[in-house]
């Protein structure tokens, strides 16, 4: 209904509908503090409060909420009001936040350069974290992620592949420069500012040009860099000195193009090196994923760290490491979370999920200013991101309760950004019954917006391990039981092998586990499409001193996918185990231990250790006699041994290699076992939600507050003076002596701190009993 009037210096304007008000606000025609009134005689009030409260009222009417929620309501409304109040007092800043015309062009918004709109954020610029000097080719990462609305993490947080596919020149974003060069609000014309992508070249400050060069160095290809430089020239009227800087950049990019190099982290390499790094990192990350779900955090961290080191372009591993340090079901380690999210941002400066999660890690460490800066930047990049508005609103709420103490500037910045998001209808009012919200990197939008679903669910098969195996019948492959069966996840849902016969293309086959031995560490896998020439299992026991070769696929992540060979001899024979005086690495498990004649004498199974760690350089395996017994139950006819003694090792290996396979073990991400394992972890933290951070901000999750008394580590020092007998120049006199004693502090009973009253074991009470 057209019922709103806007106060203007030259007379009131109107009537307007509420949606028209919203539009005016979003277009910058009016400001959040602009006075409006309903009808000709309503009360004048700030448009920001009118719009957000109006929206809230409607909701409340619909829902017909009961009385018990009133307290929440009041709290929530108080935030909005407080925020709106601040907005009025900070109009100067707000005016800049509202950029023209975005609502009108949703299509544009999708493609718009990420940072094009947030003019105000100049004072809130992020420190894009950098570990290295800004010189040279330092940092990595693609250009600013396009703003999708609402933000969809999987797209805006480019992973390895998408990075590589992007072709849009980063220079188009020209974001930082515009932020800084925009005139102060007083000089803004009454009409919305001219479109940002004006054809006319603008001037650019040296410092902004330097920032652009930092972005330039994140280009993945020489072509990208050349486009970036060309765009800079087109967009800006450069001074001679600036032009010289550009010209100095050019040869470097031309040279890279001539050599056909692409960027990998801070190096320029051949494309196949970049591909190999990406593949390696992907493999390592996929090995970590199932471990994360079953609580194997320590092992997962190793995989992820290795992945991060392997591929300096990818942000996936660091993002997961950051989440790992952020979530209460995993490890609460805000320091590490901060470190890894900063690494993500070094590689991809406009990554909103990383900005958001970094801010949460900072809030937990009471680094409030930085947290507000990062949330503000996230809000500017992705104004419709609900997690960001929740975290801004919750910060204000906690500040209002004196649970955290924002300084005046941060408080104002936080209120302005939050209230503007609400006023523009982009952000959602914070729900104070919820904690800080983290964002996931890999979640598709649909799942993220559906709170009922388990965000970590997936239908895909996940690589959970690898080993070796060999054919014992044309379509049966023998391997270790511990390869085919996971401690927690159970039997593999699928086993895959790659069959590469000389002169034929590589075929990848899928198989199923058909038998697990109770007697020995053995499993049989059936591949319907396999037709291999099986290896003979020797009937006679192994003999001390016989020469053997262990063949298989150890550590494919580090050593590559090809077959490996180690030679030694049998140095211990027992009915259920053979030992060899050589070891093969993890991944050799299930591979054959061969005699020179080509017979299998054992299935390689373990590395012998003494105590916990001392390696004796002995490996061991299941004797072929046991293996025969197991296999014969399922394949009655076993191949006979052809007597081919006298061949040399290379000839023998050449002869048998087509029957030896690298085995990849897959578990279904949605398998009941995996779900159950995850549920166990989740249940151990009651009420925990996967991406909600319920850490108590008063104590930073330590559940201890500093002692209110003035003690040092629980002790209070008392000092007094006593007169004691002494001798001076041969005469007995009373001498004053300073005495000290440390008493236990009464305020904390000598503990040095007091229990935090607001949480239980670091989890905010208000969020437990909701
Ligand atoms: Zn606490
Ligand atoms: Zn004390």
């Amino acid at each position: 209904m057209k019922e709103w009037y806007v106060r203007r210096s030259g007379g009131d304007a109107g009537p307007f509908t509420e949606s028209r008000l919203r539009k005016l606000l979003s277009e910058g025609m009016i400001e959040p503090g602009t006075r409006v009134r309903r009808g000709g005689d309503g009360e004048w009030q700030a448009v920001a409060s009118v719009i957000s409260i109006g929206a809230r009222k409607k909701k409340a009417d619909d829902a017909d909420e009961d009385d018990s929620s009133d307290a929440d309501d009041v709290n929530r409304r108080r935030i909005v009001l407080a925020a709106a109040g601040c907005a009025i007092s900070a109009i100067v800043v707000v005016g800049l936040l509202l950029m023209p015309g975005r609502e009108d062009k949703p299509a544009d918004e999708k493609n718009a350069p990420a940072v094009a709109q947030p003019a105000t954020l100049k004072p809130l610029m992020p420190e894009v974290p950098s570990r290295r000097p800004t010189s040279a080719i330092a940092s990595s990462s693609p250009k600013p992620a396009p703003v999708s609305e609402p933000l969809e993490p999987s797209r805006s947080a480019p992973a390895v592949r998408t990075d590589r596919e992007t072709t849009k020149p980063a220079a188009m974003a020209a974001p930082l420069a515009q932020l800084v060069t925009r005139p102060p609000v007083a000089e803004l014309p009454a009409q919305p500012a001219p479109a940002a992508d004006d054809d006319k070249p603008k001037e650019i400050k040296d410092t902004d040009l330097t920032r652009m060069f930092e972005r330039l160095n994140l280009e993945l290809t020489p072509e990208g860099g050349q486009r970036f430089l060309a765009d800079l020239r087109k967009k800006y009227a450069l001074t001679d000195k600036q032009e010289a800087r550009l010209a100095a950049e050019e040869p470097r990019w031309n040279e890279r193009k001539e050599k056909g190099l692409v960027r990998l982290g801070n190096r320029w390499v051949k494309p196949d090196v970049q591909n190999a790094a990406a593949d390696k990192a992907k493999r390592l990350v996929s090995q970590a994923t199932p471990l994360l779900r079953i609580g194997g955090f320590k092992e997962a961290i190793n995989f992820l760290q290795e992945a991060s080191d392997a591929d300096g372009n990818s942000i996936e591993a660091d993002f997961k490491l950051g989440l790992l340090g952020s979530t209460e079901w995993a490890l609460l380690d805000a320091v590490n979370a901060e470190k890894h999210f900063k690494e993500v941002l070094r590689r991809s400066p406009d990554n909103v999920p990383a900005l958001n999660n970094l801010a949460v890690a900072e809030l937990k460490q009471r680094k409030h200013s930085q947290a507000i800066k990062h949330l503000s930047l996230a809000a500017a990049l992705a104004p419709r991101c609900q997690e960001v508005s929740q975290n801004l609103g919750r910060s204000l709420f906690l500040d209002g309760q004196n649970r955290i103490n924002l300084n005046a500037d941060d408080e104002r910045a936080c209120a302005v950004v939050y209230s503007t998001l609400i006023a523009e209808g982009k952000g959602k009012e914070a729900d104070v019954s919820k904690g800080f919200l983290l964002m996931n990197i890999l979640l598709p939008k649909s799942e993220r917006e559906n709170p009922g679903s388990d965000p970590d669910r997936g239908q895909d098969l996940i690589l959970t391990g690898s080993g070796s195996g060999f054919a014992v019948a044309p379509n049966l492959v023998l391997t270790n039981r511990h390869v085919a069966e996971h401690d927690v996840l159970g039997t593999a849902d699928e086993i895959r092998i790659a069959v590469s016969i000389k002169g034929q293309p590589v075929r990848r086959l899928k198989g199923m586990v058909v038998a697990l031995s109770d007697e020995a560490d053995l499993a049989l896998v059936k591949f319907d499409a396999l037709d291999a020439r099986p290896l003979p299992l020797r009937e006679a026991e192994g003999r001390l001193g016989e020469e053997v070769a262990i063949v298989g696929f150890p550590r494919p992540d580090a050593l590559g996918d090809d077959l490996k060979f180690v030679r030694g001899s049998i140095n211990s024979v027992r009915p259920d185990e053979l030992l060899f005086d050589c070891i093969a690495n993890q991944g050799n498990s299930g591979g054959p231990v061969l005699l020179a004649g080509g017979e299998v004498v054992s299935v390689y199974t373990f590395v012998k250790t003494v105590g916990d760690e001392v390696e004796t350089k002995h490996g061991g395996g299941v004797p072929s006699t046991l293996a025969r017994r197991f296999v014969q139950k399922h394949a009655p006819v076993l191949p006979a041994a052809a007597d081919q003694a006298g061949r040399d090792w290379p000839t023998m290996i050449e002869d048998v290699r087509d029957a030896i396979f690298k085995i990849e073990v897959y578990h279904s991400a949605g398998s009941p076992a995996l779900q159950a394992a995850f549920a166990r972890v989740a249940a151990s933290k009651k009420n925990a939600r996967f991406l909600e951070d319920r850490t108590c901000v008063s104590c930073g999750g330590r559940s201890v507050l500093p002692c209110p008394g003035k003690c040092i580590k629980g002790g209070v020092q008392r000092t007094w003076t006593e007169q004691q007998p002494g001798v001076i120049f041969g005469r007995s006199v009373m001498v004053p002596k300073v005495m000290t004693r440390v008493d236990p502090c009464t305020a904390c009973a000598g503990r040095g701190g007091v229990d935090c009253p607001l949480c239980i074991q670091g989890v905010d009470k208000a969020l437990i009993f909701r």
Side-chain angles (χ1 to χ4, degrees):
M1 213 209 308
K2 284 189 179 178
E3 53 181 358
W4 292 97
Y5 289 84
V6 177
R7 174 173 275 183
R8 296 251 122 165
S9 50
D12 301 342
F16 300 118
T17 61
E18 203 181 286
S19 68
R20 177 78 183 144
L21 282 188
R22 247 180 247 283
K23 194 150 173 270
L24 289 172
L25 188 59
S26 73
E27 288 175 351
M29 302 294 286
I30 58 175
E31 290 155 350
T34 300
R35 302 270 146 170
V36 297
R37 73 175 171 191
R38 193 196 294 265
D41 53 5
E43 204 179 305
W44 289 107
Q45 45 193 319
V47 65
S49 60
V50 164
I51 285 179
S52 56
I53 287 169
R56 161 122 207 107
K57 249 193 211 146
K58 240 180 264 162
K59 242 190 290 163
D61 292 345
D62 292 349
D64 195 17
E65 289 163 333
D66 64 24
D67 289 346
S68 63
S69 67
D70 276 356
D72 271 3
D73 257 30
V74 170
N75 280 335
R76 262 175 255 162
R77 199 165 302 161
R78 201 183 299 144
I79 294 179
V80 176
L81 287 174
C86 282
I88 296 165
S89 69
I91 280 170
V92 174
V93 191
V94 179
L96 279 174
L97 192 61
L98 306 166
M99 288 302 296
R102 308 204 63 79
E103 298 270 289
D104 285 343
K105 303 175 214 154
D108 278 359
E109 183 153 356
K110 286 223 177 68
N111 302 323
V115 211
Q117 85 258 58
T120 36
L121 290 179
K122 190 213 159 180
L124 309 174
M125 273 333 286
E127 315 110 3
V128 173
S130 89
R131 286 194 310 204
R132 284 156 224 187
T134 48
S135 69
I137 319 147
S139 39
S140 34
S141 156
K143 79 306 299 317
V147 174
S148 56
E149 58 144 329
L151 178 87
E152 185 181 337
S154 55
R155 221 184 291 144
S156 63
V160 193
R161 293 297 176 192
T162 41
D163 285 2
R164 213 173 278 141
E165 285 158 12
T166 35
T167 51
K168 207 161 156 256
M172 295 311 290
L176 306 171
Q178 285 169 19
L179 294 188
V180 185
T181 51
R182 197 164 292 283
V185 70
E187 296 166 24
L188 273 181
Q191 290 300 313
D197 41 0
D198 196 342
D199 285 346
K200 230 166 147 195
K202 290 177 280 290
E203 285 176 12
I204 179 169
K205 284 189 196 162
D206 284 343
T207 48
D208 298 330
L209 193 62
T210 302
R211 284 215 188 89
M212 300 297 277
F213 280 159
E214 283 168 19
R215 297 286 167 128
L216 167 67
N217 285 330
L218 296 177
E219 286 292 333
L220 285 165
T221 61
E223 290 79 9
Q226 288 171 331
R227 266 196 305 271
F228 194 112
L229 289 169
D231 283 331
L232 273 183
R233 281 214 173 80
K234 211 159 81 192
K235 239 171 145 41
Y236 298 105
L238 301 169
T239 64
D240 289 349
K241 225 170 157 188
Q242 288 173 335
E243 173 53 40
R245 274 178 80 185
L246 243 68
E249 280 288 323
E250 258 159 2
R252 211 184 346 218
W253 294 92
N254 297 342
E255 192 190 324
R256 286 167 188 157
K257 189 174 180 180
E258 272 165 36
K259 290 185 181 167
L261 300 180
V262 292
R263 186 172 64 77
L264 174 62
N266 58 354
R267 294 182 298 146
W268 286 83
V269 298
K270 292 281 185 196
D272 57 329
V273 176
Q274 190 197 49
N275 280 324
D279 288 345
K280 183 179 173 188
K282 266 215 142 70
R283 211 159 48 225
L284 287 163
V285 169
S286 70
Q287 277 170 299
T289 305
L291 290 168
L292 290 181
R293 293 167 202 242
I294 58 174
F297 301 128
K298 226 174 95 188
E299 299 87 339
I301 285 173
N302 291 339
F303 277 123
L304 290 172
Q305 190 56 59
E306 221 181 305
S308 168
D309 296 341
D311 183 359
N313 294 350
S314 168
I315 60 169
E316 187 176 3
D318 278 289
F319 200 99
K320 290 190 166 169
L321 283 165
L323 267 189
L324 209 51
S326 302
T327 44
E328 61 184 271
W329 54 268
L331 314 163
L332 274 182
D333 182 354
V335 176
N336 261 314
E338 179 185 348
K339 183 180 111 188
H340 288 293
F341 286 126
K342 280 188 169 170
E343 178 63 20
V344 171
L345 290 166
R346 198 182 63 76
R347 298 179 185 196
S348 177
D350 297 321
N351 187 298
V352 171
L355 282 167
N356 176 72
N357 296 356
L358 171 61
V360 174
E362 286 164 340
L363 282 165
K364 283 195 277 195
Q365 300 173 74
R366 309 191 79 77
K367 298 179 176 176
H368 300 133
S369 291
Q370 296 184 30
I372 299 302
K373 267 180 211 163
H374 290 133
L375 283 177
S376 302
L377 187 72
L381 291 167
R384 291 183 194 278
C385 180
Q386 306 299 302
E387 286 88 346
V388 174
S389 50
Q390 166 74 14
N391 295 339
L392 283 163
R394 179 163 172 78
S395 299
L396 281 178
F397 172 73
L398 293 171
D399 185 48
Q401 293 201 323
N402 288 321
R403 297 278 306 273
I404 62 175
N405 296 302
L406 302 179
N407 67 35
D409 286 345
D410 294 335
E411 195 176 70
R412 193 171 55 233
C414 189
V416 166
V417 175
Y418 177 68
S419 64
T420 308
L421 288 177
I422 304 299
E424 289 183 317
K426 289 177 177 165
K428 224 162 120 183
E429 283 175 40
D431 177 350
V432 296
S433 72
K434 276 191 196 158
F436 292 114
L437 294 183
L438 299 163
M439 295 176 72
N440 204 341
I441 176 182
L442 293 172
L443 243 41
K445 179 178 140 197
S446 54
E447 269 185 335
R448 203 165 58 78
E449 287 182 344
N450 175 7
S453 71
D454 167 10
D456 208 29
R457 191 193 54 212
Q459 295 305 315
D460 298 336
L461 288 171
I462 295 171
L463 180 69
T464 51
S466 75
S468 306
F470 59 97
V472 289
N475 63 357
L476 282 179
V477 169
L478 184 64
T479 184
N480 281 139
R481 178 167 179 162
H482 81 256
V483 170
E485 189 183 52
H486 189 280
D487 288 354
V488 177
L489 302 179
T491 310
D493 291 314
E494 191 174 297
I495 302 266
R496 293 182 199 168
I497 55 172
V499 181
S500 57
I501 295 171
K502 233 183 197 165
Q504 293 178 19
V506 176
R507 288 187 305 152
R508 294 184 65 80
L509 301 183
K510 296 173 181 178
M512 294 279 291
V513 178
V514 289
L516 298 167
S517 169
D518 292 328
E519 267 185 312
D521 190 348
L522 295 172
L524 268 182
V525 188
K526 187 175 179 197
F527 294 86
D528 288 331
L530 181 65
D531 186 19
R533 191 158 60 93
L535 301 184
L537 288 161
R538 189 159 85 165
E539 283 187 72
E541 273 186 6
R543 283 154 52 212
L544 223 50
E546 275 187 295
E547 281 205 356
V548 295
I550 302 169
V551 190
F553 299 87
R555 289 295 306 275
D557 54 315
L559 303 174
D561 269 344
D562 50 330
L563 193 66
K564 303 292 187 306
F565 172 96
V566 179
R567 224 174 87 185
S569 55
I570 298 178
N571 75 353
S572 164
V573 179
R574 294 172 196 162
D576 58 347
E577 134 184 335
L578 295 182
L579 287 187
F580 317 106
D581 65 349
C582 57
I583 56 170
N585 285 314
Q586 183 195 355
N588 264 104
S589 283
V593 180
L594 291 157
L595 297 165
E599 278 183 297
V600 176
V601 71
S602 172
V603 180
Y604 190 78
T605 306
F606 59 89
V607 174
K608 193 80 180 167
T609 57
V610 173
D612 270 349
E613 45 187 308
V614 188
E615 253 175 29
T616 55
K617 299 208 168 150
H618 289 81
V622 178
S624 57
T625 45
L626 277 184
R628 281 183 71 88
R629 222 178 331 163
F630 171 59
V631 174
Q632 263 170 338
K633 290 183 203 160
H634 305 275
V637 186
L638 291 183
D643 184 14
Q644 291 184 301
R647 288 184 303 176
D648 62 3
W649 287 109
T651 312
M652 189 275 288
I653 295 295
E654 206 49 52
D655 208 40
V656 300
R657 65 180 308 154
D658 289 349
I660 304 170
F661 307 103
K662 178 190 166 208
I663 291 204
E664 289 179 351
V665 182
Y666 288 83
H667 283 88
S668 157
S671 76
L674 217 147
Q675 296 277 337
F678 179 65
R680 275 200 299 280
V681 176
S684 69
K685 301 278 187 180
K686 206 164 174 288
N687 263 341
R689 291 178 196 173
F690 183 64
L691 288 172
E692 180 181 358
D693 189 317
R694 303 183 304 165
T695 308
C696 168
V697 289
S698 298
C699 62
R702 285 180 299 274
S703 66
V704 175
L705 290 176
C707 173
K710 292 199 172 101
C711 67
I712 297 165
K713 291 184 177 168
V716 181
Q717 186 168 314
R718 286 212 308 130
T719 306
W720 70 99
T721 314
E722 272 182 11
Q723 301 288 324
Q724 291 191 342
V727 179
I728 292 179
F729 299 128
R731 278 200 265 163
S732 294
V733 290
M734 293 303 279
V735 184
K737 190 174 179 204
V738 177
M739 310 289 287
T740 62
R741 190 176 78 200
V742 176
D743 290 333
C745 169
T746 49
C748 63
R751 290 169 52 215
V754 294
D755 288 339
C756 175
L758 297 168
C759 63
I760 295 171
Q761 289 173 15
V763 179
D764 201 313
K765 267 185 190 167
L767 302 178
I768 294 178
F769 306 113
R770 58 189 168 195

